[in-house]
Amino acid sequence: MIGLISATAAGSAGCRRVASAWPGRTRVYEGPVGDAVRRAFAECEQLVCFLATGAVVRLVAPLLTDKTDDPGVVCVDEGGRFAVSLVGGHAGGANELAREVGDLLGAEPVVTTATDSVGLPGLDTLGYPVEGDVAGVSRAMLDGAPVVLAAELNWPLPPLRVVASGGEHTVRVTDRAVRPAEREVLLRPPSLVVGVGASKGAPADEVLALVEDSLRGAGLSVRSVAEFATVDAKRDEPGIVEAAARLGVPVVAHSASALAAVEVPNPSAAPLAAVGTPSVAEAAALVRGGELLVPKRKSAARPAMATCAVVRRPARGRLAVVGLGPGARDLLTPRARDELRRASVLVGLDQYVDQIRDLLRPGTRVLESGLGAEEERARTAVAEARLGHAVALIGSGDAGVYAMASPALAEASDDIDVVGVPGVTAALAAGAILGAPLGHDHVSISLSDLHTPWEVIERRVRAAAGADLVVTFYNPRSRGRDWQLPKALALLAEHREPATPVGVVRNASRPDESSRVTTLAGLDPATVDMMTVVTVGNTATREIAGRMVTPRGYRWQEEPE
């Protein structure tokens, strides 16, 4: 919950704006400011104070205990110009909250945390448990001193500005139960799956003691446990659910038939009779693959009511396929920005890389290539993800529309995680400039026959013409392809009047953007190139006040008889 506190009319207005935008996420604290701050500090995970920073410093100073437990505090000035991350920038989430509040109110987020200020990810913000000399290693990274990455597990991490050897400071990625050395940070990846079986009524204390003893005996860290895995019949067993909750991990259940198909070293007739599979603990831990580190063990109670097994799951790389939009920076989505900053490897067309190079974190490895190398980029991105890296593969517009998502996903198997990040397509950007040409059913067709035979393209154009669909042509004309657009327009002209509106937009959303509305008969194909999107209306499309409009067909818009 986010506590909202204010003292003036302007501050109260800001509170109302935040509260209305985030219902259920916020609570407005009324009454004397000092009392409101103290109550919110005790009851909320974060605070947004519409007060002077000096006043908030004096109010919260006596309440501070430890940066890992204190709520994040953001201050917004009286004029609503700045959202200042004051306390708990990383652990309390104040840095991100300042950015969110800034986006909401049109305020400038002010973040003074050293790593955030220079674009480095904080070691305590990576989403993994962290131990050791966080401050010292972070300071070394900031100072440009060599920091060694000792990755016992190749987990997908953002760029950390690290080296392979030769540094006095170390970031170690491990799930082993070791203590951090001097000038070392341990990152605990979620690499361990604990398979759990339990008799009806098994106490949570018994389940938890078994799991912790098993991990301790194998020299594994409980902080790297990703989940408890069990059979469907036991997904709601109170002892399993409570033990998992105490460790802060989810319970993931699998069908008995799926577990029965898993080959295990210690099958048993008892679970087969009880729940339909000869193994619960081992099979549930192994069902998604991995290395069995702890074979099935029984709890120490007599009779034993719980079993467990531990598997180290394979490290999975991460491929984010990111749409950059049509070119304007303000049409790049916040999610796309986040993925660009999360990636340790960026793969893309050189001219697209140039558009967003300033958004990348220091140390990001950039693999760029020129036009015509789409297949190579797709294979490279997938290969880097298979090595365990966090990869961003970029494309213009939406990466799934005539861009990189299709070839990349054709290469990718289920051994990596794939995330799609949508972007504003060229058709949508052009449509917004033209007016509302896509107000009813529409289709996009690429006129490039480099990879698609013209016979197939022509069949699609004929179908769109006969179906009276608005058509957006991508890749309409280049120096080597100058006859396809006139041919496509002629096919449409067989079904549409010469006065049918046609919108032509070049470099949509970019500084040299140009657009015009003409007609099917009046369009000169020679004025079109590869940077242009051509939108041809259907039989209902009209030019109204210089804008291209395709009616949606609402009944209330029909003309009276």
Side-chain angles (χ1 to χ4, degrees):
M1 185 65 66
I2 301 172
L4 305 177
I5 301 103
S6 63
T8 66
S12 296
C15 280
R16 289 193 297 271
R17 285 185 63 186
V18 175
S20 63
W22 298 339
R25 188 183 171 191
T26 56
R27 181 187 304 160
V28 176
Y29 283 79
E30 307 284 358
V33 170
D35 293 341
V37 169
R38 283 187 286 273
R39 285 187 289 122
F41 199 92
E43 297 170 357
C44 298
E45 291 81 22
Q46 295 175 319
L47 281 69
V48 177
C49 300
F50 290 82
L51 303 165
T53 54
V56 178
V57 167
R58 286 190 293 272
L59 289 170
V60 303
L63 309 176
L64 298 175
T65 56
D66 186 273
K67 71 175 186 178
T68 60
D69 299 321
D70 293 331
V73 179
V74 170
C75 291
V76 179
D77 67 292
E78 181 75 4
R81 296 174 300 166
F82 303 103
V84 183
S85 173
L86 187 68
V87 172
H90 284 167
N95 292 350
E96 183 56 33
L97 180 60
R99 296 185 181 100
E100 288 188 82
V101 171
D103 287 342
L104 177 61
L105 301 179
E108 180 72 22
V110 179
V111 176
T112 58
T113 309
T115 50
D116 293 74
S117 299
V118 299
L120 286 173
L123 294 173
D124 53 352
T125 66
L126 300 179
Y128 308 130
V130 60
E131 305 168 27
D133 187 12
V134 175
V137 174
S138 297
R139 187 162 50 249
M141 294 169 63
L142 288 167
D143 291 343
V147 176
V148 176
L149 178 63
E152 297 175 9
L153 302 172
N154 197 16
W155 219 257
L157 298 171
L160 295 176
R161 195 188 275 172
V162 292
V163 296
S165 61
E168 295 182 356
H169 297 79
T170 303
V171 175
R172 185 176 304 278
V173 184
T174 182
D175 58 14
R176 296 186 298 114
V178 295
R179 292 183 178 276
E182 186 179 0
R183 289 181 286 222
E184 181 177 65
V185 164
L186 303 182
L187 289 181
R188 301 296 192 183
S191 56
L192 304 177
V193 176
V194 178
V196 181
S199 302
K200 184 175 178 60
D205 287 341
E206 182 176 340
V207 175
L208 189 58
L210 171 62
V211 170
E212 291 178 337
D213 287 346
S214 298
L215 292 168
R216 190 180 305 112
L220 300 169
S221 172
V222 69
R223 303 190 76 187
S224 278
V225 174
E227 63 188 43
F228 278 13
T230 191
V231 67
D232 273 342
K234 296 295 180 179
R235 71 164 64 239
D236 297 320
E237 183 63 39
I240 294 177
V241 172
E242 183 179 339
R246 291 189 197 175
L247 291 184
V249 299
V251 176
V252 178
H254 305 278
S255 68
S257 59
L259 299 189
V262 179
E263 186 176 342
V264 297
N266 300 294
S268 172
L272 179 62
V275 294
T277 172
S279 171
V280 173
E282 288 180 338
L286 284 166
V287 68
R288 292 178 178 169
E291 176 187 4
L292 184 62
L293 302 180
V294 179
K296 182 177 74 174
R297 290 187 56 187
K298 294 183 179 180
S299 54
R302 293 292 179 268
M305 299 185 72
T307 61
C308 85
V310 182
V311 162
R312 178 181 286 138
R313 63 182 182 180
R316 292 175 64 87
R318 188 175 190 277
L319 173 62
V321 187
V322 181
L324 300 180
R329 178 59 61 85
D330 59 353
L331 292 181
L332 177 70
T333 67
R335 187 178 299 181
R337 288 173 181 262
D338 290 344
E339 289 294 346
L340 294 175
R341 295 176 64 78
R342 178 172 180 165
S344 61
V345 180
L346 182 89
V347 182
L349 179 68
D350 48 14
Q351 64 191 58
Y352 297 155
V353 171
D354 288 341
Q355 290 179 21
I356 48 82
R357 198 183 299 271
D358 63 301
L359 298 178
L360 305 179
R361 290 190 187 275
T364 304
R365 186 156 52 94
V366 177
L367 305 177
E368 54 189 309
S369 52
L371 289 168
E374 288 83 3
E375 185 176 2
E376 174 194 339
R377 286 194 289 276
R379 290 178 175 172
T380 296
V382 172
E384 290 289 334
R386 285 187 174 135
L387 293 175
H389 299 306
V391 182
L393 175 63
I394 60 174
S396 67
D398 184 286
V401 179
Y402 302 121
M404 294 305 302
S406 179
L409 269 60
E411 291 286 332
S413 52
D414 61 0
D415 57 345
I416 62 174
D417 294 324
V418 177
V419 177
V421 181
V424 178
T425 68
L428 295 179
I433 293 165
L434 294 170
L438 308 182
H440 211 307
D441 296 338
H442 55 274
V443 64
S444 295
I445 299 176
S446 171
L447 294 183
S448 173
D449 57 359
L450 296 177
H451 302 290
T452 303
W454 175 254
E455 292 76 14
V456 174
I457 297 172
E458 181 172 330
R459 187 167 66 247
R460 292 170 179 169
V461 175
R462 288 185 182 277
D468 198 25
L469 297 172
V470 175
V471 181
T472 298
F473 286 124
Y474 280 72
N475 306 312
R477 185 177 181 274
S478 67
R479 292 179 181 177
R481 294 185 300 100
D482 58 1
W483 59 267
Q484 288 88 344
L485 179 58
K487 176 63 175 177
L489 296 174
L491 294 173
L492 292 176
E494 294 176 6
H495 297 265
R496 301 180 194 183
E497 296 295 328
T500 299
V502 175
V504 181
V505 180
R506 188 177 190 279
N507 284 332
S509 86
R510 299 184 183 184
D512 56 346
E513 169 191 300
S514 64
S515 65
R516 67 186 188 279
V517 177
T518 181
T519 64
L520 189 56
L523 175 61
D524 180 4
T527 62
V528 173
D529 61 13
M530 285 288 286
M531 306 304 294
T532 306
V533 172
V534 176
T535 302
V536 182
N538 66 9
T539 55
T541 304
R542 298 288 182 267
E543 182 179 350
I544 302 174
R547 304 179 186 93
M548 191 172 171
V549 180
T550 302
R552 177 65 181 90
Y554 295 111
R555 289 188 177 135
W556 51 263
Q557 286 187 320
E558 294 178 359
E559 295 182 5
E561 295 182 1

